[in-house]
Amino acid sequence: MKTLQADVAIIGFGTAGMGAYRAARAHTDRIVVIQSGPYGTTCARLGCMPSKLLIAAADSAHAIAQAPMFGVHAGPVKVDGAAVMQRVRSERDRFVGFVLDAVNDWPAEQRVLGRARFVSPHDLMVDEHTRITAQRVVIATGSSPTIPPGWRDALGDRLITSAEVFDWPTLPQSLAVVGGGVVGLELAQALSRLGVRVKLFSKGAKLGPLTDPDVSAQAFSILSAELTIAAPAEVLQVSRLGEQAQLTYRVDGAEHTEAFEQVLVAAGRRPNLASLDLAAAGIAVNDRGLPDFDIETGQIGDSHVFIAGDVSNAHPLLHEAADDGKIAGDNAGRFPDVRVHPRRAPLGVVFTDPQMMLAGASFKALQASGQEFGVGEVNFDDQGRSRVMGQNRGLLRVYGEQHTGRFLGAEMIGPAAEHIGHLLSWAVQHQLTVQQMLDSPFYHPVVEEGVRTALRVLNRHLRMGPVPVARCQDCGPGA
């Protein structure tokens, strides 16, 4: 039995764990990191990057299919599924390689491979080969896809999760996607555009993370015009039918049965906490299996244990996980001098087409807060630059605080949402007023002019400041 002593032990070495390691090293070199599987972050290996590679291929195919709109004819689209997946895997492995290079630059004696569990508040057992005594611990074990009970046994290799999609040697002929969240939506649309027969099953009529009912309804209308969506749907039974998977489901009171080559389960994720034996560390969990912790410090209760990244189920996004790791690692390193770290303005993007985004406070959060706020909006159907590009679909709704005019947040489905989301989250972070945003430059013709239209409407509803006169009279209401 090998024994190690550490000031800080970090369990899990993805984005949050790596951030925790860097931050803790500012305080001590007596650090041990424990990894139960291959190195490489969820983002690089299983999530953000390989999914965007697949989406990029789908966007290329879609652009060719849409070219006749502009008088450009390139012939029928032909998708080579094996070539698509080869590029996805090759580029994914390149991104993972950058992570591995960073990890391999760190001292080998600080890295331990195996599955960790608490055996006392300060002692960790890694498999049965290493016992680590740590003064402080950071839990950054990530999360795993949730699979409904019995589905794996019933479907065998006909069932996959997002962790397995990117190892396909080629594209399937047909696919059922169960789950209308971010992962399900992105993969369903991309694979459909690459020629796979896709059906998306969603429990509700709401798709993705949007909370504003008007924007959410617009998203469902736009995406259901392209994708085959069963919603709200209840999957009653799954079974194996030869080399296919069979789903029996209910929609609008009627039962249907349909067969697919594979079933992709994208119905949420669960934190990887069960194997840690938190009770041995004296840490209680709630009915969702999560410990209570401070989002601004990462500290679990008043203990010496900190939590960071997807495992906390607070903000399952890479930039948030990186911030979580930095906060938890810094406080674990300086413990007991635990300090509050203010969070950045919220920002989330969904890479469907059109894209979705949430920046700052969501509509749901503002309603729950009881805060008085006004709303402005713009529809992109007639927005000038969007029509030029043939991307004139979507809705942006922006929110401002009554009496102060401070900009609070926005929700959107529409063109360039990933870029507009950044601009608006920055405005929230710097506490700009709607008038200050309107006083900023807007070039012509750009999609961002639609933002200006929405802000003008919002400013009128807030009854704050002068309302500028539009200079372009012929470019549409979103110019």
Side-chain angles (χ1 to χ4, degrees), residues 290-306:
L290 292 168
D292 292 328
F293 69 99
D294 186 337
I295 191 67
E296 293 182 319
T297 66
Q299 187 178 21
I300 296 175
D302 60 358
S303 75
H304 61 283
V305 182
F306 298 79

Side-chain angles (χ1 to χ4, degrees), residues 451-474:
V451 177
R452 182 176 60 187
T453 299
L455 292 174
R456 285 171 172 166
V457 175
L458 174 58
N459 221 26
R460 288 198 295 272
H461 288 173
L462 296 175
R463 297 187 297 172
M464 301 286 294
V467 181
V469 177
R471 295 185 180 182
C472 178
Q473 304 298 323
D474 304 310

Side-chain angles (χ1 to χ4, degrees), residues 132-161:
I132 300 169
T133 300
Q135 298 307 304
R136 286 89 69 191
V137 178
V138 176
I139 299 172
T141 46
S143 61
S144 299
T146 299
I147 299 174
W151 281 33
R152 179 68 79 181
D153 291 338
L155 297 177
D157 63 0
R158 297 299 90 190
L159 182 147
I160 61 167
T161 68

Side-chain angles (χ1 to χ4, degrees), residues 264-300:
L264 168 62
V265 177
R269 299 179 70 87
R270 54 176 174 76
N272 295 330
L273 286 171
S275 65
L276 289 179
D277 195 0
L278 294 178
I283 296 173
V285 297
N286 58 27
D287 56 2
R288 295 181 296 138
L290 292 168
D292 292 328
F293 69 99
D294 186 337
I295 191 67
E296 293 182 319
T297 66
Q299 187 178 21
I300 296 175

Side-chain angles (χ1 to χ4, degrees), residues 208-294:
L210 298 169
T211 73
D212 187 310
D214 289 358
V215 185
S216 185
Q218 185 85 343
F220 190 91
S221 175
I222 292 171
L223 293 174
S224 62
E226 175 182 347
L227 277 172
T228 302
I229 301 176
E234 179 186 5
V235 179
L236 303 173
Q237 184 180 14
V238 297
S239 59
R240 186 76 176 252
L241 184 66
E243 290 303 304
Q244 293 207 314
Q246 186 169 265
L247 273 71
T248 300
Y249 59 95
R250 182 185 293 121
V251 177
D252 296 331
E255 288 190 15
H256 309 268
T257 299
E258 198 167 347
F260 301 88
E261 187 174 330
Q262 288 192 313
V263 175
L264 168 62
V265 177
R269 299 179 70 87
R270 54 176 174 76
N272 295 330
L273 286 171
S275 65
L276 289 179
D277 195 0
L278 294 178
I283 296 173
V285 297
N286 58 27
D287 56 2
R288 295 181 296 138
L290 292 168
D292 292 328
F293 69 99
D294 186 337

